[in-house]
Each structure stands twice: as C-alpha cells, then as structure tokens.
Amino acid sequence: MDDKVIKSANKEAEQIIEWGRAHNLETCFERAERLKPCPIGASGACCKVCYIGPCRLVGKNAEEEARGVCGASLPTVAARNLVRMIAAGTAAHSDHARDMAFTLLAVASGETKDFQIKDVRKLYRVAEILGIEFGNGRAVNDVAKDVALKLLEDFTRQKGELNYVKRAPKKTQERWRKWGGTPRGIDREVVEAMHRTSVGVDHEPDHLLTHGLRTALADGWGGCMVSTDITDILFGTPKPLKAEASFGIFKEDEVNLVVHGHEPTLAEIIVDVVSEPEMIAYAKSKGAKGINLGGMCCTANEVLMRHGIPTAGGFTNQELGIMTGLVDALTVDVQCIMPAIAELSKKFHTKVITTSEKAKIPGAMHVQYDEHKAREVARAIVKIACDNYPNRKKEGSHITDKYPVIAGFSHEYIEYMQGGRWRESFRPLNDAIMAGRIRGVVGLAGCDNPRVPSTGLHRFLAVELIKNDVLILSTGCGSAACGTAGYLTPEMALENAGPGLREVCEAIGIPPILHIGACVDNSRILTIASAMAEEGGLSDEIGGMPAVGIAPEWMSEKAIAIGCYFAASGVPVIFGGESPVGASKEITKIMTEVWFERFMGAMHFEPDPEKILALALDYIDKAREKLKLRKYEPGKFGAERVLMDMAARRELEKKSAVPHAGVGG
Ligand code: MSK
C-alpha cells in the first residue's frame, strides 16, 4: 500500500485515516484499495437476472456479437442493469416518503402527540397544489389528513398520473406524455421495472430505458418531492441558519450522540429530547457537562437545515467519526449506513444503535423506533449514549478542526430572499442569468466516494464553478463535502466567486453554494427550475435552461435514480467515475443524444473532473446561446433589475400591516 496516496481531500478525515493505519484499523478506504471493481459488472456487461448464467457479455465486437445463453445482447443487458438501479433508488427514496406520509397521517389523526404540524403555510401551499380545501375555518388537522391520504395515493395508483406531474412546466409534461415517460404510481413503476427486467420480458433497449425514465420520474416528482414537502410541513421549511461541520464538532467533555442515515423523524425528536432538563441532568450524573448532538450523511442534513445541528460529514466519514473515540452512541435509520461501523465500534466504546424495522446490522444493538411513542424511544437512545459516556477511553484520533456553515436554503426561502414576503419571486435570479451576471446554475449533488480522494471532486468543481460565475445548489453528501471544506459561507463568494456571482451574493448576503438539503431534497431543484421557467425570460420549460446537474462521486443506486429524473426533466447531468453502462455504445448514445433530443436532458459519465467542468460550462453556454441571452463574459453584464438587499426587504416588510412570519410561518 502506498502510504502517500491521499484518501480524502478532507484534511481532518485524512488525519484520522492515517491514525487508523498506524493502529491497524481498516476502513472503506483500505477496502476500496484492496477490492478492485469487477470490470465486467462495473460496465454493465454482466447479466445475472437468471441462473442459466450469470453471463459475461465480453470480447471483440461484444456490442454486436456477444449473447447470453438466452440470446440477450449487450445493450439489452446493460439497459436492464441500469433500469434495476433506477428501480432500487426509486424504491429507497419513495419508501422513505411513504413513512413520512404515514407520520403526517398519524399526526393529523391524533394518533401521535409527539409531533405537530410546524408549517401550516407550507401545508396550505401543498393543499392548494393538490386541490384540497383549506382555510375558511377548516381544521388544520383535517387538511393535513387529506394531504397525507392524497399523497399516499401516489404510491398505489394504477392508472393516470402522479399528483405532482402538474407542478412541472406544461412543455416538460408534454414531452413526458409524448415519449411515454409520465409516471402513474410509484409502486407500479418500480414493480413494472422489476418485471420488465426479469428474464425473458423486455429486450428492446430504448423501450427498457424509457420505462427507466418513467420510474425515475416517479422518484423525483413522487417519492423525493412527497418526502420533502411532508418533512417541511411537519418539521418546518428550512431558512438559513448557522452551523458547523467536520470532526471538530465532537466535544471532549459532553456526551456525543450522532444521528446517521436519511429519515428525519426520530432525529427530529432527539433534537428536542437532548435539551430536556432531565436529560441534561442525566448526562451530568454520568460526569458529562451536557449532551452534544451531531449528524452524518442525510439525517444530518435534515436536522442541520432546520435546527443548525452540526454535521461530521458525509458517507465516507462514518467510520472515521467512530475513530475519533468521542462518539458515545451512533444511531442509524436507513440508507448509506456501512455495516462495517458495527464491527469497528467494538474497537472503541461507541454503541451503534439501529432503529428502523427495515434495517438491522449484525453486532449493533436495536432500539425499535415507533412514531406513536417517538419521545419515549428518543429518550431511551439518549440515555444509552449518556450511560456510555463513562466508558470513553483515551484512544482515538481526536480532531478539533471544524468549519462554519450557512445552510437552510429551501425553495421558499430562495423565493423570499429575492423580494421579501410580499414580492417573493424568481425574477431577480432570472434577470441575473439573462444579464450574464450569473452564467448558469449547477446542482452539485450525490455521494462522496472512497475510490477517489473522497470529497475532492466536489471541492474542485465547487471552486471552479463559482469562479466561473455559476451559482451552485448543493444537496446530500455534496453539501457535506462543501461544508467540511468551509465553502458554505458568504466569505467563499468574496474569496472565490467570479465578479458577477460575487455581486449577487454580496447584495443578498448568501453563500455562492446554497445548501438546499438532503438527497431527497433534490426535488427542490425541480421546483426551483419549474419556478424559473414560469417566471419567464429563460426557457419556458426545464429543458433548455442554462443549468446542469453534477454528481462527481456518486456511488448509490439512489444517485442513478436522481440523475435519470433530472435528465428526463430536461437537465443535462454529468456523473463522475466510469459508466455503469460503459460496455454498450448503444446505451451510452441513447442516454446522451437520444434523451437530449426527446427531453433536453442527458446522462453522461466522465471520470476526469476537468472534463466534467468543461462539459458543464459548455452545456450552460450553449443553452445561453440558444436562448439568445447575452454572451457570458466575466465582469461584463447587461442591464438588470436591482436585487433587493436585506435592508430593502426589511423596509418593505415594515410598511406592511402584517408582520413577516418567516418562511412558511
Ligand atoms: S447520504 S445517497 S451517500 S448523497 Fe444521502 Fe450521501 Fe449519496 Fe447516501
């Protein structure tokens, strides 16, 4: 093993990795080095949907000549493999969304008293979209019940269209209808994807991939969007707040409890419980000064966005967090949780606690979450962490560095920040793009990955894009990568952004990278893009906007589902790493050229970060040219409306008779 190979671009992570090596502790970084990917499976050329095989479709002229025992061609096999990834990713987001809908239903029906509806304004906004009556004396819980039931219909509907299809611009909807991509019901699309890709069913690559897109759209405009909306309704629509990121968030003299995974419900109640006086007294009785709550991955993003709970980072930081020796309990729910943490935790004092009935890990303890007794479960978990504090040993790679973070940019806040409560709109953003002050918008999303210097590609692209006056909307571990680098602050704009973007960020007081949430919150990008289309002056559909999606370090099937729903919605998407369909030229062509013709979106795979950057800027510039916008030149702008600064917004609100209730207030 070459000791000089950088495993993580996160300086603090790298220190812990080094410490781990010195202590013979293995993490995903060493395992990734040892276990090279199988090149046949990695490029989509391995078929194992039946057991006549598995078949390897390799060799000279494999594209034209290779056949499985049943006669399946390489493009068929590659397409099937991709569609199965989309189905799995869609199932993950959407099953999470289903649980959110059940929680909303339980709250509205009075079955649980531990949660309340925090954002009535957002509830009414969603009710309006769904055509549900609200206001006029109608009880909030009745509205919430109808909203929950209506959204649950999206899972089981057999015919028709998802509720939220109508939130997309008309032209985008027309493209879906024309090309057979409009999703009917989430469960139906996932089941049909599994059926079509089983042995001996759908063999026509383009036909398979079209259903893949329909399944992905059920994820974006179904599962992800439902989850985002209900989470906002129950726990509040995010607005900017200050927090911190990296391993320095752990405290030597307090109980450190970490929430990890994706579902926000239990974490939300833990946020409440850790500040209960009895719990703090309990922690003190164990010798600690208090209880320090932190997060990892996307559960972290949920509580960071709404409560400013600090994050220790993304996917590849989970084992490293334990190796600080400071984590008294790590509670996990679902998705992106490495089973390795249970084994590793035994070398430290950390208790790993699984909480979902869907997800257990050998070697971890299990405390069953139940929304009907959420507070009781949360208290039990906090007590386990407190009880474990006295067991903390001296060993561990204690790290003190941490970085300030500004997070909490929801669709609603971005709208608000451009005009105040009474004039909220996307006009100023569209104007800034039209004038060339902002060159375009990039969604920087997806996982961090131990097969590259982890977080390094996110960091490189974040800096280079903002230098080029590209506004970034970040989610998931992309946000964690930027946060643990100190990039999620307004100062980042002063130091690194191009002149146009810098001016915009200074005028509004925002960072050039807007952390908009967890991976399910990529749905916020869909609604933001739809609002920009509706605002006018750019494209009148999502396709054709100077906008690109990038997931440079993706690893999850969920990322594939996200990439495909963006492509089908009209956004060119570039993923890092080797292509999971790279073995087939035909599939690669469909996903880039054919999808671009039909949907104005595409899905590329490109391992070289410089090429990712060049391709993204090229898409943005070509979209500008097609829209006949001013040619982008750094530092040269056309006329545009003046963006409202904070003082002007306050002035406007003072004049209003009704005080500003905050976003969603
Ligand atoms: S946690 S899906 S590693 S973004 Fe959402 Fe991060 Fe990717 Fe999991």
Side-chain angles (χ1 to χ4, degrees), residues 323-399:
M323 283 160 64
T324 63
L326 294 173
V327 177
D328 301 303
L330 175 60
T331 173
V332 302
D333 46 75
V334 291
Q335 300 170 22
C336 301
I337 299 148
M338 292 185 195
I341 56 174
E343 200 57 36
L344 182 67
S345 71
K346 298 211 174 80
K347 307 214 164 74
F348 295 83
H349 79 300
T350 307
K351 298 271 185 216
V352 174
I353 309 167
T354 54
T355 58
S356 167
E357 61 179 1
K358 296 170 196 164
K360 291 193 176 182
I361 306 175
M365 66 188 294
H366 187 77
V367 177
Q368 182 64 56
Y369 171 67
D370 177 348
E371 67 203 8
H372 300 96
K373 44 177 188 167
R375 189 168 294 271
E376 196 185 314
V377 174
R379 282 182 181 146
I381 287 171
V382 174
K383 279 191 168 177
I384 291 168
C386 293
D387 288 341
N388 201 26
Y389 177 79
N391 298 328
R392 209 186 273 178
K393 299 173 193 134
K394 284 270 173 283
E395 298 95 69
S397 174
H398 297 196
I399 297 279

Side-chain angles (χ1 to χ4, degrees), residues 261-262 297-298 315 336 446-448 475-478 518-519 555-556 558-559:
H262 282 78
C297 279
C298 281
F315 178 68
C336 301
C447 326
D448 52 327
T475 60
C477 294
C519 26
M555 61 87 200
S556 163
K558 292 180 289 170

